[in-house]
Amino acid sequence: MSFAQGFAPPVPFALPPVPPLRLEDAALFLDLDGVLAPLASTPEAVGPDPRRTQTLIRLQQALKGRVAVVSGRTLAEIDRIVDGAARAASGVHGLERRAADGALSAREPSPSVRTALAAFQDFARYRPGVLVEDKGLSAGLHFRQAPDEAGAALSLATALADETGLTLQPGSMVLELKTPGADKGAAVAAFMTEAPFAGAMPIMVGDDLTDEAGFRAAEALGGFGVLVGPGRPTAARYRLDDVEAVLNWLGTVSANAARIAEAQA
């Protein structure tokens, strides 16, 4: 369930499946949770998976490195979950980024993140199932195991955002208060100025509201977004059903690219 679906009735919205790609032009930007990995009850419950790792390795080879993971997780968590198979990656919704050549860049954390973290910890203390995540650059409040707390969590996070100036980032059964100044769209745009992405057609694949900035950036740069999960109003142009459909599609993409490369050799 997305954050939007948790607070409002679902809106019927149909999107077509992803069309065949011009593989020599494509650059893929992939969210992690809900796209490459199934959503889990807690953040740490998601771990490495051989199929996911091999899929990313083959994609890197097939698209000549034009693959990046763009996630709300930290870079360290991305590396843990994909088992080091993503050379280019962006974490904490664009606030930290590793270019394909390994160069690192990150925003300075706002001091107000500690204020938000303390308030979230107080909120969670007597609410079983509510979890707090400290990402350094942001503080997350997870309520997947306590959905009845969604309204109270939203009220708290909204008030804290107004008080601290932090950016409120809703996600799938999580509310995050993050250092201002970047989002997934900014990460996609930054990658597209660098080798090997520059000049390619960006395709952002994501599942929830945190990915909308990435969809818009991809569209603005001549590409498109792919929504994973139930249809809803979105900046994405196409849709895939679930994580299994994403991995199947990516497997087809890498296999087709390998056949093209072999034919050209």
Side-chain angles (χ1 to χ4, degrees):
M1 180 187 297
S2 73
F3 177 85
Q5 291 169 328
F7 287 88
V11 179
F13 195 82
L15 290 171
V18 188
L21 303 180
R22 284 175 52 88
L23 298 174
E24 63 272 26
D25 296 338
L28 291 176
F29 299 96
L30 307 170
D31 186 21
L32 185 51
D33 295 282
V35 173
L36 291 174
L39 296 172
S41 57
T42 63
E44 60 271 16
V46 180
D49 174 77
R51 181 188 180 191
R52 181 194 310 127
T53 300
Q54 288 304 311
T55 296
L56 287 171
I57 290 171
R58 292 190 187 105
L59 278 173
Q60 295 279 0
Q61 295 168 344
L63 297 183
K64 300 180 180 178
R66 298 189 305 275
V67 180
V69 172
V70 179
S71 174
R73 289 186 183 258
T74 64
L75 287 176
E77 278 289 281
I78 293 170
D79 289 344
R80 177 183 70 83
I81 293 167
V82 305
D83 205 18
R87 288 177 290 180
S90 173
V92 199
H93 310 288
L95 289 171
E96 56 180 13
R97 195 171 66 87
R98 182 175 63 225
D101 65 3
L104 295 171
S105 59
R107 301 271 176 167
E108 286 295 321
S110 167
S112 295
V113 170
R114 311 317 296 175
T115 301
L117 188 66
F120 282 174
Q121 289 168 337
D122 286 342
F123 179 87
R125 186 166 289 116
Y126 302 109
R127 290 175 168 86
V130 175
L131 303 175
V132 178
E133 186 177 13
D134 180 3
K135 298 182 184 179
L137 289 159
S138 72
L141 189 64
H142 297 260
F143 47 91
R144 183 173 301 278
Q145 298 181 94
D148 291 344
E149 300 293 348
L154 179 60
S155 295
L156 172 62
T158 301
L160 283 168
D162 291 341
E163 173 190 332
T164 63
L166 296 172
T167 298
L168 175 57
Q169 179 67 72
S172 182
M173 304 302 284
V174 59
L175 293 161
E176 198 163 334
L177 286 170
K178 66 188 190 76
T179 299
D183 57 24
K184 290 185 179 181
V188 169
F191 281 123
M192 289 298 295
T193 68
E194 304 166 346
F197 301 97
M201 180 181 69
I203 300 166
M204 174 71 196
V205 187
D207 69 311
D208 66 20
L209 296 182
T210 70
D211 300 302
E212 290 295 327
F215 297 153
R216 292 191 293 270
E219 187 80 28
L221 292 165
F224 55 83
V226 179
L227 176 68
V228 179
R232 58 169 170 79
T234 176
R237 257 197 262 174
Y238 305 104
R239 190 181 73 83
L240 291 166
D241 284 340
D242 50 27
V243 172
E244 181 69 15
V246 172
L247 293 176
N248 288 340
W249 174 65
L250 294 177
T252 299
V253 168
S254 60
N256 289 344
R259 280 195 290 271
I260 291 171
E262 183 176 339
Q264 293 174 341

